[in-house]
Amino acid sequence: MSKKGGGDAVKNPGAEPTLGIDPFQDTLRRLREAFKSGRTRSAEFRAAQLQGLGRFLQENKQLLQDALAQDLHKSAFEADVSEIITTQNEVDYALKNLQAWMKDEPGSTNLFMKLDSVFIRKEPFGLVLIIAPWNYPVNLVLVPLVGALAAGNCVVLKPSEISQGTEKVVAEVLPRYLDQSCFAVVLGGPQETGQLLEHKFDYIFFTGSPRVGKIVMTAAAKHLTPVTLELGGKNPCYVDDSCDPQTVANRVAWFRYFNAGQTCVAPDYVLCSPEMQERLLPALQSTITRFYGDDPQSSPNLGRIINQKQFQRLRALLGCGHVAIGGQSDESDCYIAPTVLVDVQETEPVMQEEIFGPILPIVNVRSVDEAIEFINRREKPLALYAFSNSSQVVNQMLERTSSGGFAGNDGFLYVSLLSVPLGGVGHSGMGRYHGKFTFDTFSHHRTCLLAPSGLEKLKEIRYPPYTDWNQQLLRWGMGPKSCTLL
Ligand code: NAD
């Protein structure tokens, strides 16, 4: 398999940076005009776009699987469960619930407003921008798109330039399934995306690193554009002494080595006692052999590192602590073996940066208190995992820490559910999506009050000249459910 360096994007004729000419202007103007026409607002239009997206997934499943295999050596199994089927489920769920989600939500009123109608209208923001990373290049582009279309927006999609196979399918095939007056794919790397971000959007949904998240938020601030930032970080995984090591090894290894560790919610490092480490190491070795065979490089089930740049970064991390399991690498194949590191110092790079690869360091702690203290002196992670036979220990971890998501005795399967959101907190991001949360993210919740044009006598109590009597009457009429007038 040949791997390529990042940044060599498929050329978008409309997006070539030409001196003095804004490559995005025409596209953005077209989309704005389309939004102004009101075309995207009807339920029928939104449903037609979602159906188009569903057809794209069904009719191009093999193409997408091939692209994911080309980009990440992703197995068809992993491609299906984490990218194609997940996205299809989101489409089907949005289609099923669209009418209900779009409905106005009534607000309760008080005595003085009994004849008024108060409700929340979910209206589209307008022109929204979705910027995606390379690690789940179908899912992380299209799942936000489901909500953006369902909410009635016009959309600019910016896939990652690094996952080139998938980028090409998204750029060349997807637009055929959607109304192109309301939807565009823009290609490019940091420079082009920087240029794109100079434009005003009505909402920006960004998935990627905290470093670029700051760039996006700074650009958005210039236009007061609201943002969702789905970022990354180091996700701790605490394992206490009561656990069955083989069960923990199976669960942690699957979530760590899935997609060759290039998962934002993967357990990034294990915190456990030296005694548990001794029991966990043979269990992890046995799991890795069972999952990927004696020679994981020849396993069809293990992914590859996306490119040379990421490979070099990860290979350097293999020098931290001591290699207890794995540690082999092959530059020509962007291959890094499923690896476990021990004797790792907190100050070493592998404990300073998000690993984002198939490397699992184990850091020793003496107690759950020490683990909590370790976690809490770092940035808030996107996910946190606690393994213990004691629900008290799991609850302690949940109560005394903060993270985007949490799982006790399992990994990140909760991200596949439509009923709960995915999102970070603090350094791991802001905002949330999946299922209805995506629709809500891309909808402005507009509070509306419709009062009768007559009946002025009833309203007069609020006008000057103010009197104590009027104030008392107003307070009584507004009742305990209201806050003050302003
Ligand atoms: P990245 O931040 O480098 O790139 C993300 C996107 O931003 C890409 O489309 C890229 O073209 C664009 N970009 C890169 N540099 C830019 C710049 N200077 N100006 C403007 N745009 C720029 O992230 P990545 O390497 O593609 O993905 C890995 C990161 O994404 C990890 O930190 C991972 O944890 C995070 N991630 C988070 C989630 C989540 O749901 N929270 C999911 C997947 C990945």
Side-chain angles (χ1 to χ4, degrees):
M1 186 177 60
S2 84
K3 302 293 297 184
K4 61 263 145 211
D8 200 9
V10 180
K11 292 292 176 219
N12 177 2
E16 294 221 342
T18 319
L19 210 61
I21 297 174
D22 181 344
F24 304 112
Q25 204 171 329
D26 288 349
T27 304
L28 300 183
R29 190 182 298 129
R30 171 169 59 82
L31 297 184
R32 283 227 173 266
E33 287 304 318
F35 184 72
K36 262 195 226 154
S37 76
R39 191 155 68 248
T40 60
R41 288 181 178 253
S42 74
E44 293 70 31
F45 183 88
R46 302 182 196 198
Q49 300 312 298
L50 291 171
Q51 281 155 359
L53 186 48
R55 275 200 313 282
F56 165 74
L57 288 165
Q58 282 152 20
E59 292 172 14
N60 299 285
K61 186 172 175 187
Q62 188 61 52
L63 199 60
L64 288 166
Q65 282 179 349
D66 292 347
L68 290 164
Q70 179 196 331
D71 287 334
L72 289 146
H73 194 247
K74 210 171 264 205
S75 62
F77 180 93
E78 290 195 5
D80 279 357
V81 301
S82 65
E83 307 246 31
I84 301 168
I85 294 174
T86 322
T87 311
Q88 184 70 57
N89 287 346
E90 289 273 359
V91 172
D92 296 344
Y93 189 66
L95 274 167
K96 192 167 157 225
N97 293 288
L98 186 61
Q99 297 279 358
W101 293 349
M102 286 177 67
K103 264 207 186 112
D104 291 340
E105 277 174 37
S108 63
T109 55
N110 55 44
L111 197 60
F112 282 114
M113 298 167 76
K114 268 285 169 259
L115 299 175
D116 300 345
S117 152
V118 171
F119 56 91
I120 302 165
R121 165 82 35 106
K122 270 63 75 65
E123 62 174 31
F125 277 104
L127 178 56
V128 305
L129 170 63
I130 295 170
I131 303 177
W134 49 260
N135 60 328
Y136 289 88
V138 174
N139 182 324
L140 298 174
V141 165
L142 299 186
V143 172
L145 179 65
V146 171
L149 294 174
N153 295 285
C154 287
V155 184
V156 173
L157 209 58
K158 214 303 283 175
S160 173
E161 74 286 7
I162 291 173
S163 39
Q164 293 174 5
T166 320
E167 182 200 43
K168 192 166 171 354
V169 180
V170 168
E172 292 179 7
V173 186
L174 177 61
R176 291 184 218 148
Y177 291 81
L178 299 172
D179 185 320
Q180 293 193 40
S181 65
C182 306
F183 169 81
V185 179
V186 161
L187 303 181
Q191 191 198 335
E192 292 82 0
T193 314
Q195 224 179 340
L196 182 65
L197 282 167
E198 285 171 19
H199 292 270
K200 180 176 162 65
F201 290 91
D202 299 306
Y203 200 94
I204 300 177
F205 188 103
F206 171 80
T207 308
S209 60
R211 181 185 69 80
V212 179
K214 289 178 192 171
I215 295 173
V216 170
M217 196 169 173
T218 304
K222 291 198 179 120
H223 301 287
L224 288 179
T225 298
V227 291
T228 289
L229 300 178
E230 297 284 338
L231 310 178
K234 291 186 79 62
N235 306 314
C237 177
Y238 175 64
V239 182
D240 93 347
D241 287 348
S242 69
C243 295
D244 168 44
Q246 196 57 62
T247 305
V248 175
N250 293 344
R251 296 182 190 182
V252 172
W254 190 58
F255 288 106
R256 169 74 283 189
Y257 303 125
F258 195 95
N259 199 27
Q262 300 162 113
T263 305
C264 58
V265 280
D268 188 275
Y269 61 93
V270 164
L271 291 170
C272 71
S273 69
E275 294 74 32
M276 178 40 90
Q277 177 180 307
E278 283 312 300
R279 297 164 65 208
L280 208 46
L281 285 175
L284 279 165
Q285 178 63 77
S286 132
T287 298
I288 290 168
T289 308
R290 195 153 35 87
F291 285 2
Y292 307 111
D294 289 327
D295 173 21
Q297 189 169 6
S298 59
S299 165
N301 301 317
L302 185 69
R304 292 295 183 270
I305 308 310
I306 184 75
N307 62 18
Q308 283 292 327
K309 188 176 161 199
Q310 292 294 327
F311 173 83
Q312 301 296 350
R313 180 184 66 77
L314 286 162
R315 192 160 64 176
L317 295 183
L318 294 174
C320 301
H322 292 110
V323 172
I325 298 171
Q328 302 83 357
S329 62
D330 179 349
E331 187 173 351
S332 68
D333 191 20
C334 277
Y335 167 75
I336 297 213
T339 295
V340 180
L341 300 177
V342 293
D343 303 329
V344 170
Q345 301 302 310
E346 202 183 334
T347 48
E348 289 185 276
V350 80
M351 286 309 295
Q352 295 293 318
E353 62 185 75
E354 180 181 6
I355 297 173
F356 223 55
I359 302 172
L360 182 69
I362 300 181
V363 175
N364 289 146
V365 287
R366 283 183 302 274
S367 63
V368 65
D369 287 330
E370 194 181 323
I372 290 170
E373 201 273 321
F374 186 95
I375 292 165
N376 286 343
R377 61 171 192 264
R378 298 163 157 263
E379 299 285 6
K380 289 183 182 177
L382 184 60
L384 201 158
Y385 304 102
F387 287 81
S388 173
N389 282 344
S390 154
S391 57
Q392 220 183 339
V393 170
V394 173
N395 276 327
Q396 239 186 318
M397 202 41 102
L398 176 58
E399 289 291 321
R400 292 170 55 197
T401 59
S402 177
S403 60
F406 178 90
N409 292 312
D410 212 347
F412 53 78
L413 267 193
Y414 63 86
V415 304
S416 64
L417 298 173
L418 295 160
S419 56
V420 288
L422 169 65
V425 57
H427 203 255
S428 53
M430 60 187 72
R432 62 202 64 78
Y433 77 126
H434 284 186
K436 182 174 186 291
F437 298 96
T438 323
F439 174 85
D440 285 338
T441 287
F442 283 104
S443 302
H444 167 54
H445 289 215
R446 185 180 191 183
T447 295
C448 305
L449 179 150
L450 303 180
S453 56
L455 305 174
E456 180 62 0
K457 268 283 164 224
L458 286 178
K459 308 267 181 186
E460 270 179 5
I461 187 176
R462 60 196 177 177
Y463 302 144
Y466 299 131
T467 65
D468 286 349
W469 167 244
N470 282 5
Q471 194 191 45
Q472 269 173 28
L473 212 58
L474 254 182
R475 285 174 61 180
W476 170 76
M478 285 168 69
K481 281 193 198 151
S482 311
C483 50
T484 51
L485 254 188
L486 291 177

